[in-house]
Amino acid sequence: MVSKTASKDGDSHVPDSSNVFIYHAEAVWRHRDNYGPPGFKGVFMSPYVALCAAFAAIGGKIFGYDQGVVSIGLVMPQFLARFPQVSESSSSAGFDKDLLTAMIELGALIGALNQGWVADKISRKYCVIVAVAVFSVGSALQTGPTGYAMLVVARLIGGIGIGMLSMVAPLYISEISPPEIRGALLVLEELSIVTGIVIAYWITYGTRYMAGEWAWRLPFLLQLIPGFVLGAGMLFLPFSPRWLVSKGRDGEALEALRRLRRLPSTDPRVQLEWYDIRAEVAFHKESSALRHADLQDGSTISRIRLELASWTDCFERGCWRRTHIGIAIMFFQQFVGISLGRRPLLLWGSFFMTISHFIIAILVGKFSNDWPHHRAAGWVSVAFLLFYMLSFGSSWGPVPWAMPSKIFPSSLRAKGVALSTCSNWLNNFIIGLITPPLVQNTGFGAYTFFAVFCLLSLLWTFYFVPETRGRTLEAMDHVFNDTNSEEEGARRKAIEDQLIGNHPPAADQALATN
């Protein structure tokens, strides 16, 4: 493959402004040198990035673990003795139990919504640490509640921390990963959630035999451990290079890329990625300044108004398609009936889940009144339920966590991911409320309901979701066809030429030779 980073004057680490920043819809390995093979095979070629991503994904384990602990706790005699409000003997058991379990979704919604501006302000790295601190407070309160009201408040606080982690962890992973393996690493979020649930089941299986309240208090206490490990470990991980560039810390961004890629800062691939990031950030900053020219005086009021305006920018031309996809993909993740190109996985996943739900609905409708005499039909239903779970787990389970964190422009990425994550928690909350009565009151109608949404998800994906596999974060404008005017294209090219020129600036040259 011909390198795209040779300069006109023979300086190998200076990108050539005439051909580097041609934005392609194709994957990066088709038009420039890459860091390694794509997909899971490439993960082994980038062990340091994989380690950083796995560490950040501990937040997913925390959420999964918390969900698992509560689901088991609700059937523990020791737990029900302390909180009789959720026992079957209580007249308000249904509402009190739903409120207790829903508090984590409500808290997560609040946490994810507020994390957007925090991640932009103090960095993705420090955001994880703040989220861990909030979660730890909630966990400590869940360990030692003296009454039902205290436990509900503790669940809300813990949920805020979980929501913050669920938003910032994929964002951080996306921004530190090379495009060849970004999707594979983002799958860690979903895998971590499932792993956390399994760990919680095994721990509570052991503690349920303990006498007294430590049978349920100990599992809540143990979830503090991964939180402390995550919070302390993040101190040693690098900042996101893209966040550093957004703050004007270009030299530190190059050093972070050098650490993450385990290559010299003079490596053409590192240099190209560095210039790519800087050009994309500069372009969107200039576009924002033109769009909000009356808010550029630097006053406190203008900064506040500019922060609020940046949220509305997510729904303006140049970003509304991405916001629509981020929110809708999380909606369909919940409404396809559950509580590694991207596009083909979603399409095939929707197709197989639709078939599974319709077959189960037909079998339940015909034979649910007399399963003992229709054992074969019962086993077929079980088989298609398993097939549905496998289809979901390989498509709509991981992909909605992977896609939002890479499709937004740098200036709006934190807020766009926050909106997408909020969609997940809001729809998770809705599904938690409607599914039990839907199954109880409609029988096969519940499966028909979810089958319809599976079919809708297939149609929506086919018409609206572009392929993002292998594309750089900086190429999303081209993938979504958002830089669609000659004026915008010329402005971006001018920024690129200014950054590169015939030689790198003196400060850049000094950094490149360190």
Side-chain angles (χ1 to χ4, degrees):
M1 180 181 294
V2 178
S3 173
K4 304 293 183 184
T5 54
S7 71
K8 298 173 185 177
D9 60 359
D11 191 346
S12 63
H13 67 266
V14 185
D16 179 359
S17 63
S18 67
N19 62 8
V20 169
F21 296 104
I22 299 173
Y23 282 79
H24 294 268
E26 294 83 11
V28 292
W29 50 81
R30 294 186 180 179
H31 64 87
R32 75 180 200 187
D33 290 342
N34 52 69
Y35 289 109
F40 287 102
K41 186 190 237 182
V43 171
F44 298 99
M45 303 290 290
S46 301
Y48 183 70
V49 171
L51 179 63
C52 293
F55 211 88
I58 290 177
K61 288 187 178 68
I62 291 173
F63 164 58
Y65 181 90
D66 188 85
Q67 289 285 76
V69 167
V70 170
S71 63
I72 298 298
L74 288 173
V75 297
M76 276 188 181
Q78 302 95 320
F79 184 87
L80 297 176
R82 166 58 69 175
F83 307 107
Q85 296 91 336
V86 298
S87 65
E88 296 300 327
S89 60
S90 172
S91 59
S92 61
F95 174 80
D96 290 335
K97 186 183 295 185
D98 289 343
L99 179 65
L100 183 64
T101 55
M103 276 299 100
I104 192 169
E105 278 86 11
L106 179 60
L109 178 64
I110 297 171
L113 185 61
N114 282 279
Q115 193 74 324
W117 70 269
V118 178
D120 281 339
K121 183 71 176 176
I122 67 173
S123 82
R124 288 58 163 135
K125 173 178 172 175
Y126 289 148
C127 236
V128 173
I129 298 173
V130 171
V132 167
V134 175
F135 171 77
S136 297
V137 172
S139 295
L141 292 174
Q142 288 180 81
T143 302
T146 57
Y148 175 77
M150 181 177 175
L151 181 60
V152 169
V153 172
R155 296 282 294 162
L156 179 67
I157 296 174
I160 292 174
I162 286 173
M164 295 171 74
L165 285 171
S166 69
M167 175 268 170
V168 76
L171 178 63
Y172 178 77
I173 294 171
S174 176
E175 292 192 342
I176 66 171
S177 304
E180 296 87 357
I181 61 172
R182 184 173 290 118
L185 293 179
L186 284 167
V187 169
L188 289 173
E189 180 73 11
E190 177 72 11
L191 179 62
S192 294
I193 293 173
V194 175
T195 303
I197 294 174
V198 172
I199 293 173
Y201 283 165
W202 280 106
I203 288 178
T204 50
Y205 178 80
T207 62
R208 70 193 177 111
Y209 295 106
M210 298 173 62
E213 294 186 345
W214 277 109
W216 59 268
R217 291 187 190 272
L218 181 59
F220 279 123
L221 179 64
L222 290 176
Q223 71 182 356
L224 286 167
I225 297 176
F228 287 145
V229 171
L230 175 59
M234 284 301 298
L235 293 172
F236 301 96
L237 299 188
F239 287 98
S240 159
R242 288 163 175 85
W243 180 82
L244 289 170
V245 169
S246 73
K247 298 302 178 183
R249 296 157 64 175
D250 294 353
E252 294 176 65
L254 180 59
E255 173 61 20
L257 281 173
R258 184 195 65 78
R259 286 183 61 193
L260 288 164
R261 305 297 177 255
R262 285 298 191 255
L263 292 168
S265 57
T266 54
D267 186 280
R269 293 164 295 181
V270 174
Q271 285 282 310
L272 176 56
E273 187 174 7
W274 185 47
Y275 278 102
D276 226 357
I277 294 169
R278 293 165 65 197
E280 197 260 355
V281 169
F283 173 75
H284 284 287
K285 277 188 176 181
E286 185 176 306
S287 298
S288 178
L290 291 172
R291 190 181 299 117
H292 306 292
D294 58 329
L295 302 178
Q296 304 302 314
D297 57 16
S299 65
T300 301
I301 295 298
S302 292
R303 288 200 301 269
I304 294 174
R305 289 178 61 195
L306 190 61
E307 175 66 26
L308 294 175
S310 65
W311 285 95
T312 63
D313 284 346
C314 292
F315 299 92
E316 298 290 342
R317 187 181 72 86
C319 197
W320 73 266
R321 289 182 62 212
R322 313 184 203 197
T323 305
H324 152 236
I325 288 175
I327 292 175
I329 201 170
M330 286 298 195
F331 166 83
F332 280 116
Q333 187 197 47
Q334 298 301 319
F335 276 81
V336 292
I338 195 70
S339 239
L340 276 179
R342 324 294 187 260
R343 177 180 162 91
L345 275 180
L346 295 176
L347 289 171
W348 283 110
S350 296
F351 174 75
F352 289 131
M353 288 188 295
T354 300
I355 298 300
S356 299
H357 273 308
F358 273 128
I359 291 177
I360 294 172
I362 293 171
L363 293 174
V364 171
K366 290 187 65 176
F367 305 116
S368 60
N369 292 329
D370 191 14
W371 284 123
H373 289 88
H374 300 91
R375 295 175 63 87
W379 282 112
V380 171
S381 299
V382 172
F384 272 98
L385 182 60
L386 177 61
F387 182 65
Y388 157 79
M389 295 171 67
L390 291 173
S391 301
F392 177 89
S394 61
S395 58
W396 281 91
V399 172
W401 287 107
M403 184 166 279
S405 57
K406 72 172 296 183
I407 62 177
F408 290 95
S410 60
S411 58
L412 300 175
R413 187 169 296 127
K415 295 177 177 63
V417 174
L419 290 171
S420 304
T421 309
C422 285
S423 173
N424 177 276
W425 292 114
L426 177 61
N427 289 295
N428 197 328
F429 176 75
I430 294 171
I431 284 295
L433 290 179
I434 69 172
T435 299
L438 191 65
V439 173
Q440 182 178 354
N441 298 325
T442 67
F444 74 92
Y447 297 100
T448 305
F449 174 83
F450 289 124
V452 169
F453 277 100
C454 288
L455 181 58
L456 290 175
S457 71
L458 188 152
L459 297 174
W460 175 79
T461 301
F462 181 81
Y463 285 107
F464 294 107
V465 179
E467 180 57 82
T468 63
R469 179 176 180 253
R471 280 67 173 176
T472 66
L473 298 183
E474 290 68 43
M476 288 299 113
D477 282 356
H478 185 89
V479 171
F480 284 89
N481 198 27
D482 285 331
T483 307
N484 52 15
S485 71
E486 291 185 10
E487 180 184 351
E488 288 180 333
R491 192 162 71 244
R492 181 187 284 274
K493 187 65 170 64
I495 290 173
E496 296 161 359
D497 290 341
Q498 183 180 4
L499 280 175
I500 299 175
N502 293 324
H503 298 279
D508 296 352
Q509 256 185 352
L511 278 167
T513 55
N514 282 342

